[in-house]
Amino acid sequence: MLKRLTDKPLLNKAFLSLFSLQFLGAFNDNLVKNAVAILISYRLVSEADAGFWLSVAAGLFILPFMLISPWAGRLADHYDKVRLIRLIKLAEIGLALLAAWALISQQLLWLLVAVTALGVQSAFFGPIKYAIIPERVAPSRWMQANAWFSGSTFIAILLGTLLGGLGALNDYNLLLLSVGIIIVALLGVGASFLVQPRTQTDSSRLLSPKVGLGYWSSMHQVWQGWGDGRGRLVIAISLFWFIGATLLSQLPHWVQSLGGNEQVAIIWLAGFALCFGIGAGLRASLRWLSWRQQAWWLGLMALVLADAAWLSYQAEPQALVYPSVFFSDLTAWRVSVDLAIIALLGGLYSVPLYTQLQKQVPAQARARAFALNNVMNALWMVASALALMLGYSVGLTWPQLAGLLAVMIMLMALWVAWRFGQTAWLIQRANDEEQI
């Protein structure tokens, strides 16, 4: 089986089924999240309050990853992952109904409840998503599989951004969007039943109190592996999610501050997702790239973001305009190109980190390792939301916050260069295994 997967890792039924269900899940999440973002930015609150409530929504989505991931990781290591995926996808149908009602009602409270509920569902699926790849794909293909998973996630963001944003433009579109969310959830359930379980007995103990209720012991087990080298990999991945959460949550507000309307915001969000997918694909294709270049990607990202922040700070406020007018402005065009470069660098930076984490951790503990990763990602993303809320509360503007983020990314690059330099054995092992 492994030989067959090595030859055609993405053209066999097993991989395509996994690929489809994770894509559909990410797509549905982003349909809802981006519709909520557009509603908050342009319809439900004032422009002055938009940045704050966007940060609240982003924080509520990622908070469950911090609270639930340890338990989810232990469950995924203990039971058959495919059976857990099916239960998670069945639960998504109910969550899709909740999200549909919240969008149609356009009540801010229920929109935030729906976003939080989707975060809970994603937190249970997260540890399984990358832990199952090594069980279904040959080691020599892990980098490509991770690139496809990561890239497709951001393509799902692309499509979710386009359709979710368009769906929030008027009440009729919201109705169509709500129906679409339910349909996508049903398709995800169907895809989950195309993946064959590896065992037939694990599900009989799914409700065992010893495992099912062992939250604190699950938390302890997750953190036990911090010192074996995976900890610094997890932090390096979390740095990326801190940057991404900060930028993605503020893109609609950033567009608005430059004078772009809802359509421009949709184009920006979609372009960011597409460029990240291109970067992830490039990293999987360019096998000659070295681990030692991870810090360089961050350093370049900091410089590009600093340029975008400076241009935005100098821009004069103006009335909201359509894309044809917005992109005719040199400053708006240059900031857009900067954003595309940042997303491309993000893809180059993140994909190898996931692959190495899979290699570093024994098979029986991979889901818990990715649960640890999700906990740290959530902590950093919650920190992002809190930092943004604090910044806005003391009167800072988004260009000023973006400038501070650029400085922080440069400091992150120095940390990555230092810590990865201390783990040359880990880097060498990654290079050796990629050549097998």
Side-chain angles (χ1 to χ4, degrees):
M1 177 179 179
L2 283 179
K3 185 177 186 304
R4 183 169 67 253
L5 290 175
T6 301
D7 294 338
K8 294 184 178 181
L10 302 181
L11 298 180
N12 62 84
K13 181 179 178 181
F15 188 89
L16 287 175
S17 299
L18 287 172
F19 180 81
S20 298
L21 68 89
Q22 69 87 27
F23 174 84
L24 291 168
F27 176 53
N28 229 12
D29 286 348
N30 284 281
L31 278 177
V32 177
K33 287 167 54 183
N34 285 288
V36 170
I38 296 297
L39 288 174
I40 289 174
S41 295
Y42 293 96
R43 299 181 67 172
L44 299 182
V45 301
S46 66
E47 180 181 350
D49 293 332
F52 175 83
W53 285 108
L54 285 170
S55 301
V56 170
L60 288 175
F61 180 79
I62 60 181
L63 184 61
F65 286 86
M66 181 173 58
L67 300 177
I68 295 172
S69 290
W71 188 24
R74 186 176 178 188
L75 290 173
D77 279 332
H78 191 81
Y79 299 116
D80 182 68
K81 295 178 180 62
V82 174
R83 296 184 184 278
L84 290 176
I85 288 173
R86 291 176 180 175
L87 289 177
I88 292 168
K89 288 298 174 181
L90 286 170
E92 189 177 336
I93 296 176
L95 299 182
L97 292 170
L98 170 64
W101 182 84
L103 288 169
I104 293 173
S105 68
Q106 297 184 44
Q107 297 181 40
L108 181 59
L109 174 61
W110 284 108
L111 288 170
L112 295 177
V113 169
V115 167
T116 306
L118 286 172
V120 171
Q121 186 255 358
S122 297
F124 275 103
F125 181 66
I128 303 174
K129 177 178 176 179
Y130 286 100
I132 200 172
I133 288 177
E135 297 179 4
R136 306 295 174 125
V137 179
S140 62
R141 297 293 190 179
W142 289 359
M143 181 76 78
Q144 289 91 333
N146 286 321
W148 276 92
F149 266 46
S150 297
S152 69
T153 296
F154 275 78
I155 296 301
I157 294 175
L158 167 83
L159 296 176
T161 298
L162 289 171
L163 298 179
L166 291 172
L169 294 180
N170 56 61
D171 292 343
Y172 179 73
N173 286 6
L174 277 174
L175 178 61
L176 295 179
L177 176 65
S178 300
V179 174
I181 290 168
I182 297 170
I183 292 174
V184 172
L186 292 171
L187 291 174
V189 172
S192 71
F193 280 89
L194 294 177
V195 184
Q196 294 301 314
R198 296 178 68 86
T199 65
Q200 302 296 325
T201 59
D202 290 337
S203 62
S204 63
R205 294 181 293 144
L206 186 57
L207 298 179
S208 168
K210 181 177 179 181
V211 175
L213 301 179
Y215 177 83
W216 292 111
S217 60
S218 300
M219 178 77 78
H220 176 70
Q221 286 189 10
V222 165
W223 287 96
Q224 275 183 328
W226 180 262
D228 66 357
R230 74 187 74 168
R232 61 195 59 181
L233 285 168
V234 166
I235 292 179
I237 294 171
S238 297
L239 297 179
F240 162 74
W241 284 106
F242 178 90
I243 298 167
T246 303
L247 293 177
L248 285 175
S249 69
Q250 298 303 305
L251 282 190
H253 179 55
W254 196 352
V255 169
Q256 192 177 35
S257 69
L258 293 174
N261 68 358
E262 301 99 316
Q263 296 176 22
V264 179
I266 293 169
I267 293 172
W268 264 32
L269 288 164
F272 189 92
L274 179 61
C275 289
F276 176 88
I278 293 172
L282 282 174
R283 183 57 186 88
S285 302
L286 303 177
R287 303 287 293 274
W288 51 269
L289 287 176
S290 169
W291 267 75
R292 294 175 176 84
Q293 294 166 334
Q294 300 307 104
W296 288 102
W297 304 139
L298 283 179
L300 289 172
M301 195 183 300
L303 295 175
V304 175
L305 179 59
D307 179 67
W310 175 248
L311 290 170
S312 301
Y313 181 76
Q314 292 182 309
E316 295 290 337
Q318 54 183 315
L320 302 185
V321 297
Y322 288 96
S324 58
V325 178
F326 181 84
F327 289 109
S328 65
D329 180 74
L330 182 60
T331 297
W333 181 255
R334 185 168 157 185
V335 173
S336 301
V337 172
D338 283 343
L339 189 67
I341 295 172
I342 290 170
L344 185 71
L345 293 171
L348 290 169
Y349 171 78
S350 62
V351 169
L353 300 176
Y354 284 99
T355 303
Q356 181 57 26
L357 186 57
Q358 290 167 333
K359 295 176 180 178
Q360 182 71 11
V361 181
Q364 65 272 20
R366 281 199 186 104
R368 277 167 286 177
F370 279 97
L372 170 63
N373 178 64
N374 288 343
V375 170
M376 290 302 297
N377 291 350
L379 285 171
W380 281 78
M381 288 190 286
V382 168
S384 165
L386 292 176
L388 287 169
M389 286 188 284
L390 177 63
Y392 283 120
S393 67
V394 299
L396 295 179
T397 64
W398 166 245
Q400 292 170 327
L401 290 171
L404 291 175
L405 178 61
V407 174
M408 185 174 181
I409 294 173
M410 185 61 72
L411 295 176
M412 292 175 180
L414 295 174
W415 182 88
V416 169
W418 170 54
R419 296 303 283 175
F420 278 23
Q422 287 187 330
T423 52
W425 64 271
L426 196 153
I427 298 170
Q428 185 60 50
R429 176 182 172 184
N431 291 337
D432 292 343
E433 291 186 8
E434 284 183 6
Q435 295 173 3
I436 296 176

